[in-house]
Amino acid sequence: QVQLVESGGGLVQAGGSLRLSCAASGRTFNSYAMAWFRQAPGKEREFVAGISRTDRTTSYVDSVKGRFTISRDNSKNTVYLQMNSLKPEDTAVYFCAASASLLAVRTRTSYPYWGQGTQVTVSS
């Protein structure tokens, strides 16, 4: 089992940047594919970015490609989401999630472990 704690959210103007972090407990962090999801008010939680156990395969939702970068540091049990050129439509609660699969899939139900979320608000 793994516990996840996100940090790094906040209020930023459009065009700005934020870096989210997700710290995982336990000694088997490199056994999990990791992902970031987000949920805006009144909308379903959606996949944003994912990274495989080995850090060799990443995937992104089309709306963030070229702006967001997911990375992980297995020595620090941490996954990051660097968000650049932020837009008001990026405003949401961002959640970190872990799956015991090799690759990070986009299906929310494939992730049994979730953090509590961190709010990202982008003003226009």
Side-chain angles (χ1 to χ4, degrees):
Q1 192 166 356
V2 61
Q3 294 182 327
L4 306 171
V5 179
E6 302 97 334
S7 61
L11 173 64
V12 64
Q13 289 188 334
S17 298
L18 283 174
R19 188 175 83 153
L20 305 183
S21 298
C22 173
S25 65
R27 295 175 288 179
T28 59
F29 179 67
N30 59 4
S31 297
Y32 296 94
M34 302 297 296
W36 289 94
F37 286 73
R38 66 186 178 187
Q39 187 166 17
K43 295 188 177 181
E44 292 190 356
R45 194 171 298 187
E46 67 166 349
F47 174 87
V48 175
I51 189 166
S52 66
R53 293 183 196 171
T54 62
D55 195 19
R56 293 177 182 175
T57 304
T58 58
S59 61
Y60 300 89
V61 68
D62 285 348
S63 60
V64 309
K65 283 181 180 177
R67 300 189 297 122
F68 290 11
T69 302
I70 188 171
S71 61
R72 66 189 296 164
D73 186 338
N74 287 346
S75 68
K76 296 182 178 179
N77 284 11
T78 302
V79 62
Y80 305 96
L81 186 67
Q82 178 67 45
M83 304 186 296
N84 298 329
S85 302
L86 282 160
K87 304 176 180 180
E89 51 264 43
D90 294 318
T91 295
V93 178
Y94 283 70
F95 297 88
C96 174
S99 168
S101 61
L102 174 61
L103 300 175
V105 297
R106 301 182 180 223
T107 309
R108 186 180 68 182
T109 54
S110 297
Y111 294 85
Y113 306 111
W114 292 84
Q116 81 289 349
T118 185
Q119 177 70 47
V120 171
T121 302
V122 184
S123 63
S124 56

